[in-house]
Amino acid sequence: MTSVNELRETFLSFFESKGHTRKASAPLVPDNDPTLLFVNAGMVPFKNIFTGAETPFAPRATSSQKCVRAGGKHNDLDNVGYTARHHTFFEMLGNFSFGDYFKDDAIDFAWELVTKEFGLAKDRLLVTVYAEDDEAAAIWKKVAGLSDDRIIRIPTSDNFWSMGDTGPCGPCSEIFFDHGPGVPGGPPGSPDEDGDRFIEIWNLVFMQFDQQQGGSRVDLPKPSIDTGMGLERMAAVLQGKHNNYETDLFMKLIAAEEDVYKAKAAGDHLASFRVIADHLRTSAFLIADGVTPSNEGRGYVLRRIMRRAMRHGHILGAREPAMYKLVQTLADEMGDAYPELHRAQPAIEAALEQEEARFQRTLGRGLALLEEATEGLGEGSELPGETAFKLYDTFGFPLDLTQDILRGRGMGVDQSGFDAAMAEQKKAAREAWSGSGDKASEAVWFRVRDKTGPTEFLGYAGTEGQGTLK
Ligand code: ATP
Ligand code: MG
Ligand code: MG
Ligand code: MG
């Protein structure tokens, strides 16, 4: 069986043997793009090379890049626990050509790796190309000998990649593995393509054009290649598993959870085990890269992920901090590939333990309130916005946590009621404060409050918040 760690190495050495320079993963917090929350693809650290702003360090490169998709343009947070193939943290394996080789070689390398090195059967594979990209379709036919019905032409933006409103762009081609008729779902381009039968394992981007201001496209003088393969998805295929969470790495994490939570990863509890395993990785890697839980920006994404996992820990019976006890296993499994996990282990454990202790002070009572408020509400109904706001403001439930809990019961939240309650509370707080007439300290006060967040604020003010719940 090919382990996750072996697979990563096989990919990187395959491309080294094809003249690519191996690059270590960049940190999750991008240093070249303030508009991007987290690095979400292997090409992100090379953006300036693709635009021409930076000179390439080599004509070809290969990497295994840490990615987080839990906010912004790519947000897979709500998929976790519901699909077999999505994580909030995953590793993207890639090979890159900086104006060196183009479509022919990219397709050639991909086909060789997948069918020769990995030994996948041709009749389990199909590919998509952008509808207008006759060139790519012809290369696939020549290189792979795939029949026309296995080279699917997709007319949508799913198969046309662009970096932004201007700059490099071009068609892409996705390679899918067919997990067989036992799994529901249709081929790409079909109405039920979102099922888990045909899983996208690799995405090849052909950077061919330069998008101009005003909409026209000119040919890039030196077209480039950017590819991304999902390590966890490929590992599942090679291990004969359908679900990413059944691969060796996740099974080790889940076994550690069984130990810590004294529960079995089966039946109704299985989803909780999977969500915790996913969110543990995301939290640990974000903390290792310097993010700390807070109430704004990146820190709030981290806090939301941690608290979602901790709610699942509560379902499994945790009433004391537990998640931090899983860090050791994660570091054992992934620390060789990512030494920052070893370096930051104490910081990761401390942050998780502290956050869970803090959230556990209000979690149980928040859940009880939620139960009470939804009693008698049927499927399809909405939780009043005011209740969702109270959960947020007094009990530290991020809105998306409440939504996630309710989603399992076919219910939603009255979002406009929530927004109104939030606006009302801000207004009341401002009015109460402005009585002092001290404008400068008011500004400071609101900045502090926005940073520390509502729960802490209420605690500080001595009302119903966390501060009174010790
Ligand atoms: P999907 O359509 O399945 O959501 P995608 O087209 O959004 O995938 P890309 O942006 O093309 O994904 O990323 C390149 C590769 O990274 C994909 O082919 C897939 O193997 C992997 N990948 C993407 N998103 C995730 C995720 N959330 N968890 C695990 N692997 C992922
Ligand atoms: Mg996606
Ligand atoms: Mg896709
Ligand atoms: Mg894709």
Side-chain angles (χ1 to χ4, degrees), residues 85 158-159 174 176 200 203 233:
R85 66 186 198 278
D158 269 1
N159 279 65
E174 298 184 327
F176 286 76
E200 179 190 330
N203 196 120
R233 292 185 190 184

Side-chain angles (χ1 to χ4, degrees), residues 69 74 76 86:
R69 293 191 174 182
H74 285 291
D76 287 333
H86 285 107

Side-chain angles (χ1 to χ4, degrees), residues 32-160:
N32 61 354
D33 187 348
T35 66
L36 184 66
L37 208 49
F38 301 118
V39 171
N40 57 17
M43 60 77 60
V44 172
F46 307 131
K47 264 187 182 174
N48 291 339
I49 298 179
F50 286 121
T51 60
E54 255 173 48
T55 321
F57 50 89
R60 308 174 172 198
T62 183
S63 68
S64 172
Q65 174 64 45
K66 302 182 278 188
C67 293
V68 167
R69 293 191 174 182
K73 178 174 151 203
H74 285 291
N75 186 355
D76 287 333
L77 184 55
D78 286 330
N79 285 325
V80 173
Y82 298 93
T83 74
R85 66 186 198 278
H86 285 107
H87 305 291
T88 54
F89 170 92
F90 65 98
E91 292 175 71
M92 198 184 285
L93 300 163
N95 57 290
F96 306 92
S97 154
F98 306 123
D100 187 28
Y101 62 85
F102 198 44
K103 275 182 211 181
D104 280 297
D105 283 335
I107 291 176
D108 231 4
F109 290 153
W111 193 249
E112 181 184 337
L113 180 64
V114 163
T115 57
K116 299 226 172 72
E117 194 83 24
F118 295 159
L120 299 190
K122 189 170 142 182
D123 63 0
R124 305 292 293 274
L125 296 165
L126 42 116
V127 303
T128 61
V129 296
Y130 186 52
E132 292 163 26
D133 194 359
D134 296 330
E135 194 185 14
I139 300 172
W140 274 118
K141 210 172 163 69
K142 188 181 84 201
V143 170
L146 288 172
S147 54
D148 287 338
D149 62 325
R150 293 191 158 264
I151 305 174
I152 302 172
R153 288 168 179 261
I154 306 275
T156 65
S157 61
D158 269 1
N159 279 65
F160 195 89

